[in-house]
Amino acid sequence: MKDPKTWMKVLDRVFDFKDKVNTSLGRETRREWGRRMIKENWEYLNNLNVLGLKEILNEIHDNSNSGLYRDFMFAFEGRQMECRPLTFEELAHDKLSTLAATNLPSTGFNTVMSGKTDLNLFRSMSPIIETTYYLNSLRPFNWEDMLNLAFSDLERRLVFALDKFDEVEEVPEPTAEFFQKLKETRMTSEQTKELEQKIGLVLMHIGGEILGMGFEDSFEDYWPTMSLFNQFLAGCSAVQYDREEIMDEDIIRAYRTFFKLIKTDVTQYKADPELVRDMDEDNPDYGDVMVCKSCGSYYKLEPGESVDDFESCHCGGELKQVHDERS
């Protein structure tokens, strides 16, 4: 992977200067504070009697020492594309995404306060998968890469198989019922919240130890995305056990999935040829799309048409119009 960017080095110099001042005054430096936070949170986690937690701590230790975690963070910042993005109509070919978009609530005050799983958590999957893909390809995404990222079955594997995503042969078809259950999942146990937060804090401060203090400002998008991704997987785990409450075991399963994913060559997962057969990189087709909340079917609206012109989907489900603002 490439060396830290110039702005990272500048930030490090700034914080090195501040640390020299603090040292001269007998104060704790940022690096010393970060190391203390790692130690305190690590000890807290190490003393918990949570099945599978020791495995997660071992993963954190091994991935940090091997350099994998550092490479993954830089891949998150370094990923880029050399082709156009997919349009809403093209993305509507993916049933998982359309069902999520029409059944999960958008992030708002109510979902934040209730802690329920929402669309923002679902959308954290894409940047994490993109980062893992980039980590294995180490080049800007071309059109074929974009299709593979959007239309392979990897997202479905993660949603329905979690830490067994690379082992299952058949992946279930997504349904509206699954997302209706998923949107009700929430983390209410203070112990579970503390477990999730402490693991995240250990990873964040290890990032500071690897990259130098001040990295939080440069990687401000990485931390919430990683956290949302693991919260989303934990919700998927709860649904599989027919629960609304996210428990400790769901957090462990989520992080086990995350660590397995970042060590996997996800470029092996290819787009379904049937879904991308008519997609042309040079001729994007922008426009509004009507999708069904029940079966995930989609239909491109012609000029002058709107969702009000249709009573329901052929399956009887409710229709929702999605506007492509790029058109």
Side-chain angles (χ1 to χ4, degrees), residues 56 59-60 195-197 199-200 203 226-227 230 233 250-260:
I56 299 303
E59 283 279 4
I60 293 174
L195 172 65
E196 193 274 331
Q197 291 170 359
I199 294 175
L203 288 172
M226 182 193 67
S227 178
N230 283 291
L233 293 180
D250 301 313
I251 301 298
I252 297 301
R253 196 176 183 193
Y255 274 98
R256 188 185 299 131
T257 305
F258 171 67
F259 289 129
K260 188 174 191 177

Side-chain angles (χ1 to χ4, degrees), residues 118-135:
D118 60 23
L119 190 57
N120 196 37
L121 269 65
F122 172 82
R123 287 176 173 162
S124 67
M125 276 205 301
S126 291
I128 295 296
I129 292 174
E130 287 174 6
T131 301
T132 310
Y133 195 103
Y134 180 75
L135 187 61

Side-chain angles (χ1 to χ4, degrees), residues 103-105 116-118 178-185:
N103 287 281
L104 291 179
K116 290 185 179 181
T117 302
D118 60 23
F178 174 85
F179 285 103
Q180 291 293 330
K181 291 181 178 179
L182 183 62
K183 73 178 183 180
E184 297 302 325
T185 60

Side-chain angles (χ1 to χ4, degrees), residues 69-70 72-73 76-77 124 128 196 199-212 214-231 255 258:
Y69 196 53
R70 173 189 183 277
F72 187 79
M73 286 188 285
F76 183 90
E77 289 296 312
S124 67
I128 295 296
E196 193 274 331
I199 294 175
L201 284 172
V202 165
L203 288 172
M204 185 179 73
H205 289 296
I206 284 178
E209 183 70 13
I210 295 172
L211 303 177
F215 73 98
E216 300 101 324
D217 299 324
S218 305
F219 286 75
E220 60 183 355
D221 291 334
Y222 172 75
W223 305 108
T225 302
M226 182 193 67
S227 178
L228 292 175
F229 176 69
N230 283 291
Q231 290 177 44
Y255 274 98
F258 171 67

